[in-house]
């Protein structure tokens, strides 16, 4: 970051520390950890759901149960193949509350885990579904975030 002065870096560091403190507080006070689901077809193709793997590791670390609260109802176009303005429309109505998750979801504080955040469309749609389903609060955690210039240049 050659365009940032030392003072700017210090301010950025304080801002990040404040942010991470809030995230850690949310993680510790969450009562349920869940993940962005895929479809059966996607699982058969990859044999792996990165978000589920990460959520289970986080839940082990903070000693809070990981529960599949969401299901993905049907396959969609792959998000990374779409333009930014197409991403949110691609996911409308795709997620629903998993069978049997209605009761545990009521008034729950949920930590929603995904592998990568680019525009936030997937996390937004999942969080909206959880809130409509009865969650009190939804906090999102990702392993990576696509840099803003990469998003803007698409």
């Amino acid at each position: 970051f050659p365009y940032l002065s030392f003072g700017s870096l210090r301010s950025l560091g304080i801002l990040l520390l404040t942010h991470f403190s809030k995230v850690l507080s949310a993680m510790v006070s969450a009562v349920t950890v869940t993940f962005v689901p895929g479809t059966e077809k996607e699982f058969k193709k990859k044999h792996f759901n990165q978000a589920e793997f990460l959520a289970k590791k986080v839940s082990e670390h903070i000693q809070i149960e990981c529960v599949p609260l969401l299901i993905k109802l049907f396959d969609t176009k792959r998000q990374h193949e779409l333009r930014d303005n197409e991403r949110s429309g691609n996911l409308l109505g795709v997620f629903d509350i998993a069978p049997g998750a209605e009761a545990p979801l009521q008034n729950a504080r949920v930590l929603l885990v995904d592998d990568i955040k680019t525009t936030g469309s997937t996390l937004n749609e999942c969080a909206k579904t959880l809130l409509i389903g009865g969650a009190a609060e939804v906090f999102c955690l990702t392993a990576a975030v696509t840099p803003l210039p990469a998003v803007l240049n698409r």
Side-chain angles (χ1 to χ4, degrees), residues 87-98:
R87 288 179 180 220
S88 60
N90 185 49
L91 297 174
L92 287 176
V94 170
F95 300 104
D96 200 2
I97 303 304

Side-chain angles (χ1 to χ4, degrees), residues 78-120:
R78 296 172 58 102
Q79 288 289 90
H80 73 272
E81 296 171 356
L82 299 174
R83 297 184 60 77
D84 294 339
N85 61 353
E86 299 171 317
R87 288 179 180 220
S88 60
N90 185 49
L91 297 174
L92 287 176
V94 170
F95 300 104
D96 200 2
I97 303 304
E102 296 87 353
L105 185 57
Q106 296 310 301
N107 297 312
R109 294 170 53 94
V110 178
L111 178 63
L112 173 63
V113 180
D114 200 2
D115 56 349
I116 300 171
K117 175 191 173 282
T118 302
T119 63

